[in-house]
């Protein structure tokens, strides 16, 4: 049977205040805290707009053209789903629970929060230079050849290099400029 004696540990390994021999590296984040916060607020607002918009559509599944629309005016098109309002003729013999109040409130509240968040992002991006540094195409990328190479590399699913992974590529920069 082999001898399983513990390995000797140097005494300075347990002395407080002595730095470890393994260097500690910190990785800076790709985006600023403001960009991350505005991104997630916008994502939550988009989800709230999606849910509340679906409930508003269920409340009145008829779409009108123009400024006025109600049960007595002709519709542009209608969805053949049960409504949550008994006054809306849908052809179904039942009515869904009406949730129109909270959905309209949430829809408009989410829209205004998204607008305010977008304004904050644009104002901060203009003052910090984020748009010019990160979002405009680089001078070396302003050619048809660079554009074509970017498309081909994305279509071939080529993995970006380490330097490219920490910045926007040409196609991302072009989308943000348009």
């Amino acid at each position: 049977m082999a001898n399983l004696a513990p390995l000797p540990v140097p005494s300075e390994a347990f002395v407080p205040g002595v730095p470890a021999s393994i260097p500690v590296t910190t990785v800076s984040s790709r985006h600023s805290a403001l960009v991350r916060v505005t991104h997630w607020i916008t994502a939550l607002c988009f989800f709230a707009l999606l849910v509340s918009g679906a409930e508003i559509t269920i409340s009145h599944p008829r779409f009108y053209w123009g400024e006025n629309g109600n049960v007595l005016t002709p519709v542009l098109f209608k969805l053949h789903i049960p409504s949550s309002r008994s006054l809306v003729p849908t052809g179904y013999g039942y009515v869904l629970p009406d949730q129109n109040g909270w959905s309209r409130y949430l829809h408009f509240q989410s829209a205004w929060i998204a607008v305010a968040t977008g304004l904050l992002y644009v104002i901060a991006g203009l003052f910090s230079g984020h748009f010019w540094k990160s979002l405009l195409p680089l001078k070396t990328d302003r050619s048809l050849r660079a554009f074509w190479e970017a498309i081909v590399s994305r279509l071939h699913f080529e993995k970006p290099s380490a330097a490219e992974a920490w910045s926007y590529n040409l196609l991302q920069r072009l989308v943000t400029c348009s």
Side-chain angles (χ1 to χ4, degrees):
M1 185 127 203
N3 187 3
L4 298 175
L7 295 173
V9 178
S11 62
E12 62 268 359
F14 299 109
V15 177
V18 176
S21 61
I22 301 171
V24 177
T25 58
T26 58
V27 178
S28 62
S29 63
R30 180 175 175 180
H31 301 289
S32 68
L34 182 96
V35 171
R36 286 180 290 178
V37 168
T38 55
H39 167 83
W40 286 110
I41 290 174
T42 304
L44 289 173
C45 286
F46 178 80
F47 182 71
L49 285 166
L50 186 70
V51 170
S52 61
E55 181 54 45
I56 291 169
T57 303
I58 290 171
S59 178
H60 192 87
R62 299 161 60 105
F63 294 85
Y64 304 92
W65 184 260
E67 294 183 24
N68 298 322
N70 61 33
V71 178
L72 303 175
T73 59
V75 298
L76 181 64
F77 67 93
K78 62 181 175 179
L79 300 176
H80 295 284
I81 60 174
S83 174
S84 63
R85 303 222 164 194
S86 59
L87 298 176
V88 179
T90 60
Y92 291 92
Y94 58 91
V95 177
L96 296 174
D98 190 9
Q99 302 292 320
N100 195 29
W102 71 263
S103 60
R104 287 182 184 265
Y105 177 76
L106 180 63
H107 199 74
F108 288 108
Q109 182 183 21
S110 300
W112 280 112
I113 292 172
V115 167
T117 304
L119 284 174
L120 176 66
Y121 173 75
V122 167
I123 291 169
L126 289 173
F127 282 116
S128 69
H130 170 66
F131 298 135
W132 290 276
K133 290 185 284 186
S134 301
L135 300 180
L136 288 178
L138 302 172
K139 201 170 204 172
T140 58
D141 290 337
R142 294 181 194 156
S143 69
L144 192 57
R145 180 180 177 89
F147 178 69
W148 181 251
E149 288 174 357
I151 289 177
V152 168
S153 69
R154 295 307 171 264
L155 290 176
H156 288 149
F157 298 104
E158 294 176 6
K159 188 176 180 180
S161 67
E164 289 175 333
W166 283 92
S167 67
Y168 295 106
N169 63 43
L170 175 62
L171 299 177
Q172 290 170 322
R173 291 172 188 254
L174 288 175
V175 168
T176 58
C177 291
S178 59

